[in-house]
Amino acid sequence: MVDDTWSGALHRLWQAASRAEEVAALADDVYAPLLATPGVHLVVGTRWDEQHVLRYMRGLSAGSDTPVIVATTRSMPGAAVREPGGEPVVTRSAVEGLDDSVWPEAEFLRQAPGGSVVACTFRLDQRGWAALALAVDETADLSVVENRLTQAVDVIVACHTGILQRGREARRASDDALLAEASLQMDSSLDVEDTLRRVARIAVPAVADGALVHLLRGEGPEFVAATHVAVQQQRALEEAGRHDPWLAALLAHRGEDEDTVFLSGAALEGSPFAEAVGANGTAADARPAGDGPHPTVVSISTLRARGRVVGSITFVYQRPEARLPDSAFLRSLATRAALAIDNALLYELRRTAVLSLQEHLLPSQLPESVQWDLSASYAVGDPMLDVGGDFYDAVPRPDGSIALLIGDVCGRGAEAAALTGLARHTLRTLLEEGTDPGTALSRLNRALRQERASRFLTAVVATLTPRPDGTALLSTCSAGHPPPLVLRSDGTVSEVLSGGLLLGVLDDVSYESHEELIAPDDTLVLFTDGLTESREASGAFFESVLPARLSALRGSGAAHIAESLAQQAETFRDSGQDDIALLVARWTGVPPGAGLLPHDPRIEQAALR
């Protein structure tokens, strides 16, 4: 015969279990139908942790609507004999035979009618177990009582398992979202220092209360970044990261194959963390109200990327154990952080190497004379930092003139760099020997054709020859290069006529020169197309505003003109990644300071509006 009353109660219990967010919420749905079982007078539930500490006890008597609830942290080593293994354990006992050191429920059970106890102990998870004990009298059908008790326990265990599973899924989704955001944040910068700060900040407070990042240098771990939810504690962590011998020794002895290690309690003796986090009360001030002190836990994860260790990240926790991340999450976060750091380090190494190579492709210094004011500017435009093909030089010639040259090799990279070196040094050698610019360009073109160069290049050579009246003869010869500009002392800007075929395209090409005079305080500006082709968001090129911007710089020295135009072009452009090279020569004709126009910053600022 089917017990409809119990079946209905069990059905409602399963429904409640599917909605419950914690096992304690099932108490009313469990206790009431068990108490409705004939012969049952009392139900007592207990909750234990893995150290046999009683955490919770709840008792409800038949006919009462008010349960007795006891929250405690009573250590009861004797309860170890009741701890279940893998399956629930049902026992029958006489009340008078219960040992209070094993059965804290005895104080309730002795007050109930009847003299027997039917109890079931069951494991909830690896961190604890629970028990349900029923006080019954002689009228109870013990087989029915046991059956209902085990069915109720099945629901409780299933409910707890479901809650844990949903919690793991929610935690996994949260962790995945955090890891995705961490990747975006850390990968958005290729600056080493900025990346390291992002690595420390991304985990606090979502993962831990504090974080320290160390890089592995040749001499050992080097502190680079720290953060903490409390400002005072951050300073303490920074100090520990830089100077604490305990931490330095620990990081130095961690092997390359070690996974994340968690340290707490005695393992932190002599460390800076107990004092640095929470012992002086400052960290506790940063925790939410009602969240009491928790033991300090420290985790250390090795940062490993591309088969090598790049450093370590240390997390400091001052939170409940349930809120500590697991090793798999920390390993994934460390892997992403290591890759971001390694990318930034590799980028920095490449940047240093490229800039060093670029410097060797350009003159280390420009010649000086009382008759000209020379300066140059070079801005790398490629974010991937391939070596560019822009070059310039200034060459004093035997007849007292000076030759200015600037060029641009098509493309980037090692091959472009090789052609850059070939072009600059070939032109420099020829011009130093007194070769006229047209012949020098023709001979360079022939050399490129003989070398079967796969890239073409543009170049312009301008010579300034002093004249007795203080002016200079400007002779310009171009091979497909953007024409230079002349800034006159009165602020007018003119374009130097030039033409000529690209270098390295056809055999036996000749180049003609264009001549004009420049007066004292006139300025010649040579540049590569990275300057004029810088494009703003509207689509306009810097070339359209260059004459006005240059005119606004009248009265300025060569260095200011070169740096200002390069900076303005970089600020102007929304797209374009070409390098910008400028070579500026202000012709004085007389010693500096004699009769020069003053530089007026107001004119320059007006042109930028």
Side-chain angles (χ1 to χ4, degrees):
M1 179 177 177
V2 177
D3 188 342
D4 293 333
T5 302
W6 172 252
S7 296
L10 190 61
H11 177 71
R12 290 190 295 274
L13 180 57
W14 277 110
Q15 288 182 320
S18 65
R19 299 188 301 268
E21 296 183 0
E22 57 180 14
V23 173
L26 293 180
D28 291 340
D29 295 288
V30 171
Y31 284 37
L34 287 176
L35 285 171
T37 303
V40 176
H41 297 276
L42 175 71
V43 179
V44 184
T46 52
R47 185 77 176 267
W48 305 80
D49 67 15
E50 69 274 20
Q51 301 299 323
H52 308 115
V53 174
L54 177 64
R55 295 293 182 179
Y56 172 86
M57 184 162 58
R58 186 181 197 272
L60 182 65
S61 301
S64 173
D65 295 328
T66 305
V68 177
I69 300 175
V70 178
T72 181
T73 54
R74 190 192 312 174
S75 178
M76 301 185 67
V81 298
R82 296 177 60 195
E83 183 176 356
E87 297 296 329
V89 177
V90 177
T91 59
R92 299 178 184 178
S93 307
V95 172
E96 63 270 15
L98 299 181
D99 183 348
D100 287 10
S101 66
V102 177
W103 290 79
E105 309 99 314
E107 59 181 292
F108 292 109
L109 295 170
R110 293 192 184 101
Q111 300 173 18
S116 299
V117 176
V118 178
C120 180
T121 56
F122 52 97
R123 182 161 294 282
L124 291 172
D125 51 50
Q126 295 301 315
R127 295 194 298 268
W129 53 283
L132 272 178
L134 310 181
V136 299
D137 62 22
E138 64 279 358
T139 66
D141 185 335
L142 295 183
S143 62
V144 172
V145 171
E146 289 182 2
N147 184 55
R148 292 186 177 186
L149 182 57
T150 55
Q151 287 178 338
V153 166
D154 287 343
V155 178
I156 294 173
V157 172
C159 176
H160 185 71
T161 302
I163 291 171
L164 292 180
Q165 180 62 28
R166 291 192 295 274
R168 284 192 293 267
E169 291 174 355
R171 180 70 173 268
R172 189 179 301 113
S174 176
D175 288 349
D176 289 345
L178 178 61
L179 290 172
E181 178 64 19
S183 294
L184 288 175
Q185 290 290 328
M186 292 184 293
D187 293 344
S188 63
S189 174
L190 286 175
D191 178 82
V192 174
E193 295 300 323
D194 185 52
T195 299
L196 292 169
R197 287 191 293 269
R198 288 169 184 257
V199 169
R201 288 198 303 264
I202 199 69
V204 176
V207 176
D209 297 279
L212 302 99
V213 181
H214 288 77
L215 283 184
L216 185 61
R217 302 293 194 185
E219 60 276 10
E222 176 184 322
F223 168 78
V224 288
T227 189
H228 195 277
V229 293
V231 175
Q232 290 181 330
Q233 298 305 85
Q234 179 167 328
R235 289 194 288 267
L237 283 182
E238 290 174 351
E239 183 67 18
R242 288 190 180 95
H243 305 298
D244 186 74
W246 183 92
L247 181 59
L250 180 64
L251 296 180
H253 287 87
R254 281 186 52 77
E256 291 192 3
D257 296 328
E258 288 189 63
D259 198 356
T260 297
V261 60
F262 286 86
L263 304 173
S264 62
L268 293 178
E269 290 183 4
S271 78
F273 298 110
E275 177 181 355
V277 184
N280 58 8
T282 55
D285 295 339
R287 292 193 295 271
D291 188 11
H294 300 284
T296 299
V297 179
V298 173
S299 70
I300 303 175
S301 300
T302 300
L303 300 176
R304 185 180 295 101
R306 298 181 177 94
R308 65 188 184 92
V309 174
V310 298
S312 64
I313 183 166
T314 302
F315 290 131
V316 182
Y317 312 92
Q318 197 73 13
R319 55 185 62 186
E321 182 181 352
R323 291 176 55 200
L324 296 181
D326 57 32
S327 296
F329 171 80
L330 292 178
R331 184 166 55 250
S332 183
L333 181 61
T335 298
R336 294 165 191 250
L339 191 59
I341 292 172
D342 197 46
N343 285 340
L345 290 172
L346 292 175
Y347 179 85
E348 186 65 28
L349 288 174
R350 183 175 182 178
R351 175 183 173 83
T352 301
V354 167
L355 293 180
S356 176
L357 177 57
Q358 199 81 64
E359 288 178 358
H360 284 82
L361 294 174
L362 300 172
S364 58
Q365 61 182 15
L366 297 175
E368 297 180 358
S369 170
V370 295
Q371 293 184 305
W372 58 71
D373 173 21
L374 285 180
S375 188
S377 177
Y378 196 105
V380 177
D382 179 20
M384 295 308 296
L385 284 179
D386 276 329
V387 182
D390 292 13
F391 63 92
Y392 61 82
D393 209 342
V395 184
R397 290 159 55 83
D399 62 357
S401 65
I402 183 172
L404 309 175
L405 61 100
I406 194 166
D408 186 0
V409 176
C410 172
R412 311 185 69 84
E415 187 177 358
L419 282 182
T420 297
L422 171 65
R424 186 173 81 86
H425 290 291
T426 298
L427 288 176
R428 180 180 180 87
T429 300
L430 293 172
L431 294 170
E432 278 182 330
E433 293 173 352
T435 306
D436 68 89
T439 302
L441 288 174
S442 296
R443 291 177 63 177
L444 174 58
N445 181 73
R446 188 160 57 249
L448 293 173
R449 298 295 293 168
Q450 290 173 351
E451 292 292 330
R452 300 182 182 277
S454 62
R455 299 170 184 257
F456 62 84
L457 62 96
T458 66
V460 64
V461 179
T463 59
L464 294 174
T465 305
R467 289 165 50 94
D469 60 358
T471 62
L473 178 64
L474 170 62
S475 178
T476 308
C477 192
S478 177
H481 197 81
L485 298 177
V486 176
L487 171 63
R488 302 295 179 177
S489 60
D490 62 359
T492 59
V493 176
S494 60
E495 187 177 275
V496 177
L497 295 178
S498 60
L501 192 66
L502 302 173
L503 295 164
V505 177
L506 298 176
D507 298 327
D508 301 324
V509 179
S510 61
Y511 297 92
E512 297 181 355
S513 297
H514 168 79
E515 295 183 348
E516 60 181 278
L517 293 177
I518 62 171
D521 303 323
D522 289 348
T523 302
L524 177 66
V525 180
L526 295 85
F527 48 85
T528 57
D529 59 9
L531 179 77
T532 55
E533 293 180 2
S534 294
R535 178 183 292 187
E536 66 176 355
S538 67
F541 289 98
F542 191 72
E543 181 179 20
S544 63
V545 300
L546 177 57
R549 299 288 181 91
L550 179 57
S551 177
L553 293 169
R554 60 184 177 274
S556 300
H560 181 72
I561 292 175
E563 293 299 328
S564 179
L565 288 179
Q567 183 177 13
Q568 288 183 46
E570 288 189 281
T571 304
F572 180 88
R573 72 177 169 194
D574 181 70
S575 63
Q577 298 179 348
D578 203 2
D579 292 359
I580 297 175
L582 288 121
L583 181 60
V584 179
R586 184 176 63 87
W587 183 256
T588 66
V590 292
L596 301 183
L597 291 177
H599 170 226
D600 190 346
R602 294 173 296 177
I603 300 177
E604 179 182 350
Q605 291 300 319
L608 297 178
R609 297 192 182 101

